[in-house]
Amino acid sequence: MTFRQVARSAAAFSVFAIALGALASPAAAPQSTIGVNAFPNAKALPLHAGIAKGIFARRGLRLDLELTEGATAQRQGFAAGKFQIVHSAIDNAVYNVEAVKLDNVILSGGDQGMNEFFVQADIKSFADLRGRILVVDAPDTAYALQLKKILAQHGIKEGDSTIKPVGAGVLRLKAMLEDKSNAGGILNLPFTVQAEQAGMKSLGRTTDMLGPYQGADAFAMRDWAHSNRGILERYLAAYIESLRFVRDPANKAENIALLMSRLSLPMDVAERTYELLLDPDFGFTPDAKFLPDGYRNLMALRAEIESKQAAPNSGTGYVDLSYYENALKLLAK
């Protein structure tokens, strides 16, 4: 499985699903088109389900969904205005404000990362990672900071190992499968399931090692959000409804089929991935609720590892949950 294969499958299914949604919901026209960017992993399942089931279409929305090769490409595309809404690690939104002065705003939560630290079969403990190569998305992004903190907890300082940027989870897994000198990295679903099947081993979940963490979120440029409040609130309402569809065990078969189609997964990997997506301690946060404790820990980690500050910025000014709260009101009507 390669990124290109995943992307081709995603693009083909997206066109088909949008067409189905439009046919199923003639009352939804005319629709507002929103450019959305996400990672080609299991976290995108609510987007795929919402398109396939016509949930976004019923709220007058058409999604132009693009799957990214990594955080750097996503940041650059967002800054260039190629899409309006991003689903990504929330740390990327913080980076946009603090490092490149983009005035984006965090809109929701999503999960705690769904991350595990996976290594090659010959690695017996973290101590064995000294002097080895570790793959990350970008060296200054969310889960790379988690990796660096975990290494530090085990006495491995910066420079004791090589941090190698390769891109999104699908590319990190590919790098580890194709070259065993890539000793380990942080992976999320479905790549943790695939890594385990390939004989790699997990050294643990990141939340067990670092505590609560605000992982995924949705964010947009503040000016765009303000000027398109109605559209954005309908989008968030549709996303939450799509997430509810995903988390409802009654829809298990449909969601597994979507995982198989969208991510080119065999059934056993899709089934295990779906099971973990519903794990209350590991998978999706109900209704994409924002986790204040997880966000505080994220900001503290970023201050410690990236900016080397003793006192973290609270980051409260980067968050506006009013759109999310109004979306919940729309769902209650």
Side-chain angles (χ1 to χ4, degrees), residues 14 20 64 105 118 124 132 156 174 183 196 214 241 261:
S14 180
L20 278 182
D64 183 4
V105 61
F118 262 84
K124 305 251 185 328
R132 302 293 295 271
I156 302 174
K174 182 174 183 288
E196 189 172 53
Q214 181 59 70
E241 186 178 352
S261 175

Side-chain angles (χ1 to χ4, degrees), residues 79-103:
K82 292 183 178 179
F83 33 84
Q84 291 74 54
I85 297 176
V86 174
H87 287 265
S88 181
I90 204 169
D91 184 88
N92 286 316
V94 176
Y95 172 94
N96 286 339
V97 176
E98 297 186 341
V100 294
K101 310 305 178 187
L102 286 183
D103 190 18

Side-chain angles (χ1 to χ4, degrees), residues 26-239:
Q31 294 181 329
S32 299
T33 299
I34 302 178
V36 178
N37 189 275
F39 279 75
N41 58 29
K43 298 184 185 191
L45 181 56
L47 296 171
H48 304 321
I51 292 170
K53 300 298 293 183
I55 296 171
F56 290 101
R58 285 195 292 274
R59 292 195 177 271
L61 303 172
R62 180 188 183 279
L63 268 58
D64 183 4
L65 178 60
E66 176 182 314
L67 302 177
T68 184
E69 293 188 10
T72 299
Q74 187 181 68
R75 291 168 177 173
Q76 292 172 345
F78 181 57
K82 292 183 178 179
F83 33 84
Q84 291 74 54
I85 297 176
V86 174
H87 287 265
S88 181
I90 204 169
D91 184 88
N92 286 316
V94 176
Y95 172 94
N96 286 339
V97 176
E98 297 186 341
V100 294
K101 310 305 178 187
L102 286 183
D103 190 18
N104 58 204
V105 61
I106 295 164
L107 305 166
S108 70
D111 58 60
Q112 294 197 71
M114 304 185 193
N115 290 325
E116 291 186 69
F117 202 131
F118 262 84
V119 295
Q120 300 288 357
D122 65 301
I123 302 295
K124 305 251 185 328
S125 69
F126 282 103
D128 292 340
L129 294 175
R130 186 173 277 102
R132 302 293 295 271
I133 299 172
L134 299 167
V135 293
V136 298
D137 183 343
D140 55 359
T141 194
Y143 307 144
L145 305 187
Q146 287 190 320
L147 180 144
K148 292 175 183 178
K149 173 64 175 179
I150 292 167
L151 292 178
Q153 288 178 331
H154 292 85
I156 302 174
K157 302 174 184 178
E158 287 193 46
D160 288 349
S161 57
T162 300
I163 305 298
K164 179 180 176 181
V166 298
V170 62
L171 299 177
R172 298 197 295 278
L173 175 63
K174 182 174 183 288
M176 292 170 67
L177 289 172
E178 294 181 351
D179 184 353
K180 293 190 182 300
S181 71
N182 296 315
I186 289 179
L187 301 175
N188 51 34
L189 295 169
F191 313 116
T192 52
V193 178
Q194 293 172 309
E196 189 172 53
Q197 283 194 349
M200 299 179 199
K201 66 175 69 169
S202 172
L203 295 181
R205 294 179 175 180
T206 56
T207 47
D208 291 336
M209 293 182 271
L210 300 175
Y213 184 83
Q214 181 59 70
D217 76 323
F219 59 89
M221 294 298 292
R222 193 182 298 270
D223 284 348
W224 182 88
H226 178 74
S227 300
N228 296 274
R229 176 174 282 273
I231 291 174
L232 180 54
E233 289 172 355
R234 284 189 283 123
Y235 173 84
L236 290 172
Y239 180 82

Side-chain angles (χ1 to χ4, degrees), residues 295-305 309-313:
Y295 187 57
R296 280 191 290 271
N297 283 350
L298 177 150
M299 294 302 296
L301 176 65
R302 185 165 187 83
E304 177 187 354
I305 302 299
Q309 296 173 345
N313 173 9

